[in-house]
Amino acid sequence: MSNFRWNYRCILFLLSLLDILTILVCYPAKSQAELPKYNASTAEVEVKKPPEAVVNQTVETSIAPLSSEKATNNITGAVTPVSQLLEIAPRTRKKATNNVAGQVTSVSQLSDIKPTDWAFQALQSLIERYGVIAGYTDSTFKGNRALTRYEFAAGLNAALDRLNELIATSTTDLVKREDLDTIKKLQEQFSPELAQFRRRLDTLETRTAKLEATQFTTTTKLIGRGQIVIGSVLEGNNVLTKKPAAHNITLQGSTSLRLNTSFNGKDSLGITLGGGNIESLGQTRAGLLGTFEGRTADNSSITFARNQILLSGVRYRFLPYPNTQVNIYALSDGASEIGLSGPINPYFESSSATGANGISRFSRRSLVYNYGDSGPGIAILQGLGKQVQFGIAYSAPNGNNPIPNNGLFTGRYLALAQLIYYSSNRNFRVAATYVNTYSPANTRGLSGTNFGPAVGSNLVNSTVAGAGTVANLYGLQAFYQINPKLAINGWVSYGAHRYLGHGDGEAMDWAVGLAFPDLFSEGALGGFLVGMEPKIISLTKGVNLGAGAGQADKDTSLHVEAFYQYKIGDNIEVTPGLIWITAPDSDVSNPDSLFAWVRTVFRF
């Protein structure tokens, strides 16, 4: 460099080059950590997608809607090439992409650059004299971002390419020709370093392309959920022993880990691991109250050991057509895959992301959904325009068991069909549901019954020993968001049972619920529900379910429930609630029962 001819013009021009390098070091276009991300994952069937029933525990799902559009979940992003972030004018000018704007012509077009900034004059020179700086679509330069070595190399190369253009065109209005010759010699002297940077960039692009071509998936999301519950019976008897139930306070918990994976942005593979030790107050007849009535929704499966982590859900969903969704599940149920895809009852059973859940199983689901049980099956949802959805599902609770009277098609099954209508603004919806179900004699599912809704009276969950049971179930459910602070929902269900070789029976339930979003606090939720849990309203004389031949439930039991969900930040919520059952087991001779439940949920 000692042979170079130095004069004041050379020094000024070299300072300009140093200005370029200074701007690239201190005001880079954008670091790779901040680059725009491409995300392809799954979205919700609806904004408030309900949880999939996994061993009777609520677990968040992230399922694509009936649309072929890709959603985002900010899991993995493809790095935007640096060449898209620097606009090189005019010979190598490219169309701006992502969030990079076109070449700005004046520094005043960048809203975050002020005349008092120490680099203002350098930026002004680079933009207005040389045209080597591009802004972003929001008219900012974002000069406070960190700079990577690769961005430095690309920026240096962009500046030198621009200088090469000036040399090639013999531009004299910006600098003297002899100064350009000096810079050209400087570029030649540093060409090995620039070549090394180019090789490293090429190697990086090659490795990135290889990883993208061979990686398993770019969109796996881990969703964790843990909960702690405190519960106690406050009043009431065991309906079988007629003795007062123990009033002991319990502290229990459960957890679930869910992996949601998308392979092409239009599908979702959900794998759930879970376990816990929560004992529902009304989960079985052998429980504290001797009845299924008032059964709490937070409970562990009675067929799995407590405090063990088990595979509790496997489901794959994909969109063969833009308005068609197919769900194949090895462990789930048709009610979750179809019946709750709306959901019809969003404030009492919704996704764990919103955390809107009632205390009891009854408050979440009507009779038509409760005869299902976790097992393998398939469900198909078809959009009929923007406001109507039709779905069908087939589930076999014991479909994984090859012994007689079990299996996918020779054992217990549930076939469901549902038609849902949504108003254009989604504040009203109504669904008509039909279910056909069959259970061979002497079989049992995860809920502990071989037939029946696993809520309600003991008779509605009973069968005739040694006989198979068939049922046709009909349900009508509706929801209306009156205003942002008030919503109402309700349902009525009817079930026609046939106890093969013995006779028939009829079952029924109904409920009306009120929800109060943002009650007392933003993000909070108040809920109140009253209804009649499923019960047998009539039996033919040839059927004896344990109360005598032809003897149905003789009285009406009412379920009254209230809860208040309070959010502590975005990931913790506490939900205290009370459940009051009048005439338990549909028998007025049984004193009312009352129990309290406090659920705390942690999401991560």
Side-chain angles (χ1 to χ4, degrees):
M1 295 179 63
S2 60
N3 295 326
F4 289 166
R5 177 170 168 266
W6 295 91
N7 56 36
Y8 76 96
R9 289 192 302 273
C10 291
I11 294 174
L12 290 177
F13 193 75
L14 182 57
L15 289 176
S16 297
L17 178 60
L18 292 177
D19 281 341
I20 295 174
L21 301 182
T22 300
I23 293 303
L24 291 173
V25 171
C26 298
Y27 272 62
K30 202 171 189 183
S31 69
Q32 289 189 5
E34 297 293 330
L35 293 179
K37 295 182 178 180
Y38 167 78
N39 304 284
S41 179
T42 54
E44 299 292 329
V45 169
E46 196 178 344
V47 174
K48 295 176 185 269
K49 171 68 179 71
E52 184 174 66
V54 179
V55 194
N56 298 322
Q57 297 186 31
T58 302
V59 183
E60 182 184 23
T61 58
S62 295
I63 305 306
L66 295 180
S67 170
S68 59
E69 296 180 359
K70 296 182 179 180
T72 61
N73 66 356
N74 295 328
I75 301 301
T76 304
V79 176
T80 304
V82 178
S83 60
Q84 295 181 3
L85 303 180
L86 289 171
E87 192 69 24
I88 305 170
R91 180 173 56 86
T92 57
R93 194 180 185 98
K94 298 180 181 179
K95 185 177 180 180
T97 59
N98 291 342
N99 62 348
V100 182
Q103 175 66 50
V104 295
T105 58
S106 173
V107 71
S108 62
Q109 294 177 250
L110 302 175
S111 60
D112 57 346
I113 300 300
K114 300 178 181 179
T116 55
D117 291 337
W118 66 271
F120 177 82
Q121 291 184 347
L123 274 173
Q124 186 178 40
S125 177
L126 291 172
I127 293 173
E128 299 176 6
R129 295 182 63 194
Y130 295 101
V132 294
I133 296 297
Y136 288 82
T137 53
D138 58 354
S139 299
T140 61
F141 182 63
K142 304 186 187 302
N144 60 343
R145 303 298 186 187
L147 177 70
T148 68
R149 291 169 60 89
Y150 295 115
E151 290 172 325
F152 176 84
L156 177 61
N157 187 61
L160 293 176
D161 282 346
R162 177 57 175 153
L163 295 178
N164 275 332
E165 287 186 30
L166 298 176
I167 294 173
T169 56
S170 299
T171 302
T172 58
D173 57 340
L174 295 177
V175 295
K176 297 297 183 179
R177 178 69 189 191
E178 58 188 18
D179 298 330
L180 295 176
D181 290 339
T182 301
I183 298 301
K184 184 176 180 180
K185 292 177 181 179
L186 289 173
Q187 181 184 11
E188 292 173 351
Q189 182 174 352
F190 285 96
S191 60
E193 287 78 5
L194 290 173
Q196 182 180 5
F197 281 129
R198 290 191 182 97
R199 286 194 298 270
R200 294 181 65 179
L201 286 171
D202 292 340
T203 300
L204 178 62
E205 289 179 356
T206 301
R207 293 178 61 185
T208 301
K210 183 178 179 180
L211 287 173
E212 290 177 346
T214 58
Q215 62 189 341
F216 177 70
T217 176
T218 60
T219 54
T220 297
K221 183 178 181 180
L222 174 64
I223 302 170
R225 184 179 188 272
Q227 65 178 21
I228 297 173
V229 298
I230 300 175
S232 176
V233 172
L234 302 180
E235 294 291 341
N237 290 354
N238 183 297
V239 300
L240 300 179
T241 65
K242 305 299 182 179
K243 295 181 180 180
H247 298 177
N248 296 325
I249 298 175
T250 60
L251 177 63
Q252 306 163 90
S254 68
T255 187
S256 65
L257 298 174
R258 183 180 184 88
L259 289 170
N260 281 339
T261 301
S262 179
F263 300 94
N264 56 29
K266 302 177 185 178
D267 63 349
S268 171
L269 173 65
I271 300 174
T272 303
L273 301 174
N277 64 353
I278 301 178
E279 301 292 340
S280 171
L281 297 178
Q283 189 168 0
T284 68
R285 291 181 204 173
L288 200 60
L289 301 171
T291 177
F292 293 91
E293 287 177 328
R295 177 183 179 182
T296 52
D298 307 300
N299 56 263
S300 302
S301 169
I302 66 171
T303 60
F304 293 150
R306 298 294 182 260
N307 297 316
Q308 291 187 10
I309 299 298
L310 301 166
L311 179 66
S312 54
V314 179
R315 184 262 301 128
Y316 179 64
R317 295 182 176 181
F318 62 95
L319 300 174
Y321 303 102
N323 292 321
T324 304
Q325 183 185 99
V326 178
N327 308 343
I328 300 174
Y329 44 94
L331 189 58
S332 181
D333 66 58
S336 287
E337 302 297 331
I338 289 291
L340 299 176
S341 62
I344 300 302
N345 196 11
Y347 287 117
F348 285 83
E349 179 162 21
S350 189
S351 70
S352 57
T354 60
N357 290 298
I359 295 297
S360 71
R361 185 181 176 99
F362 173 66
S363 70
R364 299 185 182 189
R365 296 184 173 192
S366 75
L367 173 150
V368 290
Y369 301 130
N370 275 316
Y371 282 71
D373 208 342
S374 294
I378 185 171
I380 301 173
L381 290 86
Q382 178 63 50
L384 306 175
K386 296 182 178 180
Q387 295 178 237
V388 179
Q389 181 189 85
F390 177 72
I392 57 175
Y394 178 89
S395 297
N398 299 319
N400 63 326
N401 191 344
I403 66 175
N405 291 329
N406 288 275
L408 191 60
F409 299 108
T410 57
R412 185 179 177 187
Y413 75 82
L414 180 144
L416 182 151
Q418 179 168 276
L419 187 68
I420 305 179
Y421 168 79
Y422 300 92
S423 63
S424 58
N425 59 4
R426 298 279 170 155
N427 67 348
F428 172 77
R429 64 198 69 174
V430 60
T433 310
Y434 168 74
V435 174
N436 176 264
T437 182
Y438 165 73
S439 181
N442 306 318
T443 59
R444 190 178 75 167
L446 295 178
S447 64
T449 68
N450 78 318
F451 181 78
V455 295
S457 72
N458 287 338
L459 290 184
V460 80
N461 288 282
S462 299
T463 58
V464 176
T469 312
V470 176
N472 292 295
L473 314 172
Y474 309 87
L476 187 65
Q477 308 94 42
F479 167 84
Y480 179 51
Q481 184 84 44
I482 300 174
N483 58 55
K485 299 287 187 178
L486 177 63
I488 184 172
N489 71 282
W491 72 75
V492 59
S493 305
Y494 170 80
H497 296 182
R498 172 155 293 178
Y499 308 94
L500 299 179
H502 294 268
D504 300 327
E506 295 178 297
M508 190 173 181
D509 78 332
W510 59 266
V512 176
L514 294 174
F516 305 92
D518 297 328
L519 182 64
F520 306 132
S521 175
E522 184 177 358
L525 175 70
F528 177 81
L529 179 136
V530 60
M532 181 185 75
E533 293 199 28
K535 74 169 190 173
I536 293 292
I537 59 175
S538 72
L539 277 179
T540 58
K541 293 182 179 180
V543 180
N544 187 343
L545 298 179
Q551 181 63 55
D553 284 310
K554 55 184 178 181
D555 298 311
T556 296
S557 174
L558 291 180
H559 175 115
V560 181
E561 179 176 338
F563 69 87
Y564 180 72
Q565 178 179 282
Y566 180 75
K567 296 183 72 68
I568 304 176
D570 295 330
N571 299 314
I572 304 176
E573 66 208 25
V574 179
T575 308
L578 292 171
I579 299 175
W580 173 29
I581 304 296
T582 69
D585 200 29
S586 297
D587 186 346
V588 294
S589 66
N590 293 322
D592 294 358
S593 61
L594 177 69
F595 42 100
W597 199 256
V598 180
R599 176 180 62 231
T600 303
V601 176
F602 306 87
R603 311 180 197 284
F604 53 93

